[in-house]
């Protein structure tokens, strides 16, 4: 089969009632301006607490100008951009029953701040079914699609009125396809989370606190100066002291468990437990150069 190098472009003004806002270059000033007008699929996982690298609070702080929001241009992002088209081409070769369309940004038919900018849409040549196609790259292999990516395609299906989507990935050099059906329970929950977040943005009110490092780092940045003053913390201060005591106790228990595990592992690199007749790696010994190994606890 000849390699596919060009896709069709969906240029209609609407899709299932969703309004086409336009095609803009990713990372351009117009792209950033459009993102400011709504909530996109790449943000919904963060808003729902599914992004391990960012929190709803940190995203709110960036969107409201409380902390800087510099463009991300690390190698992971650059690889993702570079391989998006080739991976999409691979999927199209695997599924010649679909016509693939590149698309711009859409707005939900009735919720103005709900935006969708999927990597592609595809239409089945025989049935006429439309689906969302989202492309990802990852260093490690997947057991399941990451929850934030599932939330992303659920968001797209909601905006575009579709029932199926596929996440296509090269993960750890493995080609992966994860077909995701629309889940109305998830869609409703994500809509509610998006509404709360949009209200926080509109009213300049802080979102709920969470226990993420991203939130802690955001609050550190928002309060850079130290003045010779004091503040009555009340019950919050008592909670802080109690949490610190619990943390110290937990840290002691963890260190004790690590010492015992290192002793049992000896020279072994991995430690495992059996669960549901499967071997699960829970500990790994690592070292840097000729230094003594340390223990990494696997999640």
């Amino acid at each position: 089969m000849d390699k596919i190098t060009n896709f069709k472009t969906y240029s209609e003004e609407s899709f299932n009632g969703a309004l086409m806002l336009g095609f803009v270059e990713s990372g351009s000033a117009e792209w950033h301006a459009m993102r400011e007008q709504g909530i996109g699929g790449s943000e919904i996982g963060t808003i729902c607490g599914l992004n391990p690298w960012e929190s709803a609070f940190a995203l709110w702080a960036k969107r409201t100008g409380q902390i800087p929001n510099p463009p991300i241009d690390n190698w992971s992002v650059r690889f993702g951009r570079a391989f998006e088209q080739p991976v999409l081409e691979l999927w199209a070769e695997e599924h010649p029953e679909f016509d693939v369309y590149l698309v711009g940004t859409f707005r939900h038919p009735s919720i103005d701040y709900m935006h969708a900018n999927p990597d592609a849409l595809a239409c089945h040549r025989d049935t006429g079914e439309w689906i969302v196609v989202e492309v990802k790259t990852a260093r490690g292999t997947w057991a399941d699609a990451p929850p934030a990516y599932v939330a992303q395609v659920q968001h797209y299906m909601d905006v575009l009125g579709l029932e199926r989507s596929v996440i296509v990935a090269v993960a750890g050099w493995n080609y992966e396809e994860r077909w995701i059906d629309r889940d109305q329970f998830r869609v409703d929950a994500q809509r509610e989370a998006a509404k709360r977040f949009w209200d926080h943005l509109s009213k300049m009110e802080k979102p709920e606190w969470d226990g993420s490092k991203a939130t802690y780092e955001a609050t550190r940045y928002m309060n850079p100066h130290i003045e010779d003053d004091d503040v009555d913390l009340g019950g919050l201060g008592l909670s802080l002291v109690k949490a610190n005591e619990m943390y110290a106790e937990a840290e002691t228990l963890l260190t004790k468990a690590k010492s015992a595990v290192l002793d049992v592992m000896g020279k072994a690199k991995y430690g495992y437990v059996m669960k549901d007749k499967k071997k699960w790696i829970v500990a790994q010994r690592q070292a840097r150069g000729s230094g003594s190994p340390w223990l990494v606890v696997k999640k």
Side-chain angles (χ1 to χ4, degrees), residues 43-204:
E43 296 174 321
I44 194 66
T46 297
I47 293 169
C48 293
L50 302 175
N51 184 348
W53 314 114
E54 190 169 47
S55 68
F57 184 93
L59 178 61
W60 171 86
K62 291 176 181 178
R63 291 284 303 262
T64 57
Q66 307 294 310
I67 64 175
N69 188 18
I72 301 174
D73 195 36
N74 57 36
W75 276 108
S76 295
V77 172
R78 293 169 69 183
F79 272 123
R81 286 199 299 259
F83 285 100
E84 180 179 310
Q85 179 84 2
V87 174
L88 188 57
E89 290 172 353
L90 287 173
W91 184 83
E93 290 175 2
E94 290 293 307
H95 294 276
E97 69 274 19
F98 282 95
D99 287 322
V100 178
Y101 293 80
L102 301 180
V103 297
T105 299
F106 293 92
R107 186 179 70 200
H108 190 281
S110 59
I111 307 175
D112 289 349
Y113 56 81
M114 296 265 290
H115 291 182
N117 181 216
D119 291 327
L121 295 177
C123 183
H124 196 285
R125 293 175 180 174
D126 295 330
T127 67
E129 178 194 21
W130 284 87
I131 65 169
V132 169
V133 185
E134 189 65 19
V135 177
K136 301 295 182 185
T137 56
R139 293 180 182 180
T141 57
W142 284 4
D144 294 299
Y149 295 164
V150 176
Q152 184 175 5
V153 295
Q154 291 287 348
H155 180 86
Y156 291 156
M157 287 187 285
D158 185 17
V159 173
L160 297 168
L162 296 178
E163 298 298 321
R164 278 208 309 164
S165 60
V166 60
I167 302 173
V168 188
V170 173
W173 289 109
N174 292 324
Y175 174 81
E176 304 279 0
E177 286 186 20
R178 295 293 188 272
W179 288 81
I180 310 294
D181 292 330
R182 180 187 175 111
D183 183 329
Q184 194 59 43
F185 179 81
R186 285 175 177 260
V187 164
D188 291 342
Q190 290 183 190
R191 273 197 196 185
E192 183 60 32
K195 181 181 184 303
R196 287 196 303 270
F197 187 79
W198 190 252
D199 287 343
H200 287 304
L201 286 177
S202 302
K203 299 174 183 178
M204 285 292 290

Side-chain angles (χ1 to χ4, degrees), residues 265 269-271 281-286 294-298:
M265 289 179 67
K269 183 176 182 179
Y270 299 105
I281 301 296
V282 297
Q284 179 179 343
R285 295 172 69 242
Q286 293 183 358
W294 68 87
L295 189 71
V296 176
V297 181
K298 298 292 186 178

